[in-house]
Amino acid sequence: MKVLVTGGAGFIGANFVRQTVAERPDAHVTVLDKVTYAGNPASIAGLERVDLVVGDVADAEVTDALVAASDVVVHFAAESHNDNSLRDPSPFVRTNLVGTFTLLEAVRKHGVRYHHISTDEVYGDLELDDPAKFTEATPYNPSSPYSSTKAGSDLLVRAWVRSFGVAATISNCSNNYGPYQHIEKFIPRQITNLIDGVKPKLYGAGANVRDWIHVRDHNTAVWTIIEKGRMGETYLIGADGEKNNREVVELVLELMGHDPHDYEHVADRPGHDLRYAIDNTRLREELGWEPQFPDFRAGLADTIAWYRANEAWWRPQKAAVEAKYAAQGQ
Ligand code: NAD
Ligand code: DAU
């Protein structure tokens, strides 16, 4: 099977590529990745049956040729960080919207199966005490330039399914954690701060809730949907991992041998979504998927060990990331 993985040098995409070649001897993977600040070829270096093409998903010439040579396209590539989208939305519009449009045109032309990776943020946020979680029927209500461009990309996919009969599925997943995540993101930022002797930084009061899932569970769900999902359907991916940011920081501190309360409150994110929570009933009951790594404490301990053991992977980015946050009081 020839699998085209866009964004395969990023966090979730690289884990997907690694899992795919380890578990599927029949798979050959081509990664299309622009290698932005968020992409790192080292994350997929040395893997057998993997080729990296450095290019832009919004470049129709590159995309068309790679799609034509594939059996399935898994589209991870995106500008993915909310804080960056508040500073400069323009790459989000180009990559997330124009990039998805460009891929959809190629899969339409060549009749190739397409899976679209999206986020639970397209649904906006929930109150802390709301008993409801997001379902596939929740109306779209995105808050940030990031989540609105992801929402727009989902709607493009739905239109290409309905209007042109493209063979596509969509998944909307909650917050991932695990190895190879860029250190601008919450959990790796705090781990690498502590390695550097710097206190973790909590936006606002830290009451915001995220529904954490191990990246490996996200990726097994993606393969389940590719193989068993109904065409044109959307599946929500989550593993019942709701925690507020304060709890997460306290656990990172504890697991790294520090006083759990030794963190700092910093400026909040403008428009900060309060809570995300996924109802994964459709994925479990219709497709039989179950998470294999539901123990957040154990997964976090492994993730901390990975960042400790792989300083060469993240160190070159650390000073620039922290300078950017410091400039905005974070
Ligand atoms: P990431 O920022 O770590 O990686 C994105 C990758 O896309 C990078 O390798 C980057 O170089 C590449 N890229 C960016 N623009 C490109 C372009 N124009 N052409 C080709 N490649 C380009 O992101 P991630 O956290 O791995 O997220 C991957 C996908 O999963 C995204 O679509 C994101 O919206 C979605 N998602 C992420 C999470 C999460 O918690 N991280 C949760 C749900 C959904
Ligand atoms: O829900 C899925 C989304 O999860 C994905 O679509 C996004 O691509 C991914 O980046 C993530 O978005 P968040 O904005 O939730 O993730 P982030 O890691 O940026 O922040 C997680 C929470 O932690 C959020 O409430 C903001 C807070 N935070 C973040 C940073 C970087 C802090 O308190 N301190 C920090 O230093």
Side-chain angles (χ1 to χ4, degrees):
M1 190 196 308
K2 288 172 283 177
V3 188
L4 177 61
V5 178
T6 73
F11 165 44
I12 307 173
N15 278 283
F16 182 84
V17 171
R18 299 182 79 87
Q19 274 172 255
T20 298
V21 291
E23 291 161 14
R24 294 169 185 265
D26 63 322
H28 182 280
V29 176
T30 299
V31 170
L32 170 59
D33 198 296
K34 194 176 170 184
V35 188
T36 66
Y37 80 95
N40 189 344
S43 305
I44 48 168
L47 296 174
E48 281 179 25
R49 290 177 282 118
V50 176
D51 300 319
L52 170 62
V53 176
V54 177
D56 188 339
V57 284
D59 178 338
E61 207 176 314
V62 173
T63 301
D64 185 83
L66 293 175
V67 168
S70 305
D71 299 314
V72 57
V73 176
V74 193
H75 180 35
F76 289 92
E79 286 291 336
S80 72
H81 192 36
N82 276 297
D83 292 324
N84 293 342
S85 81
L86 298 166
R87 278 189 289 263
D88 178 12
S90 65
F92 290 76
V93 172
R94 179 172 164 83
T95 291
N96 300 358
L97 287 169
V98 181
T100 299
F101 159 75
T102 308
L103 271 178
L104 285 170
E105 284 294 82
V107 295
R108 167 157 92 106
K109 180 171 161 195
H110 298 291
V112 173
R113 170 83 168 89
Y114 175 85
H115 182 72
H116 186 70
I117 304 291
S118 193
T119 168
D120 59 356
E121 293 191 24
V122 299
Y123 301 113
D125 61 354
L126 299 161
E127 293 300 325
L128 293 179
D129 58 356
D130 190 338
K133 297 185 174 192
F134 297 139
T135 73
E136 287 80 2
T138 303
Y140 275 39
N141 186 26
S143 314
S144 73
Y146 162 66
S147 51
S148 60
T149 54
K150 290 299 290 187
S153 72
D154 294 8
L155 298 182
L156 290 175
V157 179
R158 290 181 183 194
W160 261 242
V161 168
R162 170 108 182 226
S163 303
F164 305 124
V166 161
T169 40
I170 300 175
S171 54
N172 297 77
C173 189
S174 58
N175 285 62
N176 286 219
Y177 75 100
Y180 299 102
Q181 185 168 31
H182 195 280
I183 54 165
E184 69 188 351
K185 300 285 168 63
F186 180 46
I187 288 177
R189 183 180 182 211
Q190 314 315 333
I191 295 170
T192 53
N193 274 350
L194 282 169
I195 291 172
D196 281 353
V198 173
K199 290 185 188 198
K201 316 284 184 199
L202 207 46
Y203 291 179
N208 306 65
V209 170
R210 297 295 182 262
D211 191 352
W212 294 99
I213 180 172
H214 196 281
V215 64
R216 291 181 67 90
D217 282 332
H218 181 178
N219 286 329
T220 59
V222 169
W223 268 116
T224 302
I225 296 164
I226 291 170
E227 292 182 330
K228 300 197 218 161
R230 278 181 290 137
M231 257 349 100
E233 249 346 304
T234 291
Y235 294 88
L236 262 54
I237 305 175
D240 299 318
E242 280 188 75
K243 298 225 168 341
N244 72 38
N245 295 339
R246 221 172 30 242
E247 292 174 281
V248 174
V249 156
E250 288 174 4
L251 188 53
V252 171
L253 278 155
E254 183 203 320
L255 291 170
M256 293 183 74
H258 294 264
D259 170 358
H261 303 292
D262 198 14
Y263 53 80
E264 270 174 20
H265 293 279
V266 296
D268 206 351
R269 172 184 287 171
H272 197 172
D273 278 343
L274 189 51
R275 171 176 166 242
Y276 307 139
I278 292 276
D279 178 343
N280 61 13
T281 305
R282 175 180 284 178
L283 182 62
R284 283 193 294 101
E285 294 190 354
E286 192 180 306
L287 305 187
W289 173 86
E290 290 295 336
Q292 301 302 309
F293 302 93
D295 182 342
F296 184 67
R297 189 187 176 90
L300 195 55
D302 287 348
T303 304
I304 290 166
W306 189 87
Y307 281 91
R308 280 189 162 134
N310 290 277
E311 187 165 336
W313 182 88
W314 56 266
R315 175 58 68 195
Q317 308 254 10
K318 185 66 179 166
V321 166
E322 289 309 316
K324 211 161 58 173
Y325 279 124
Q328 52 197 40
Q330 293 178 320

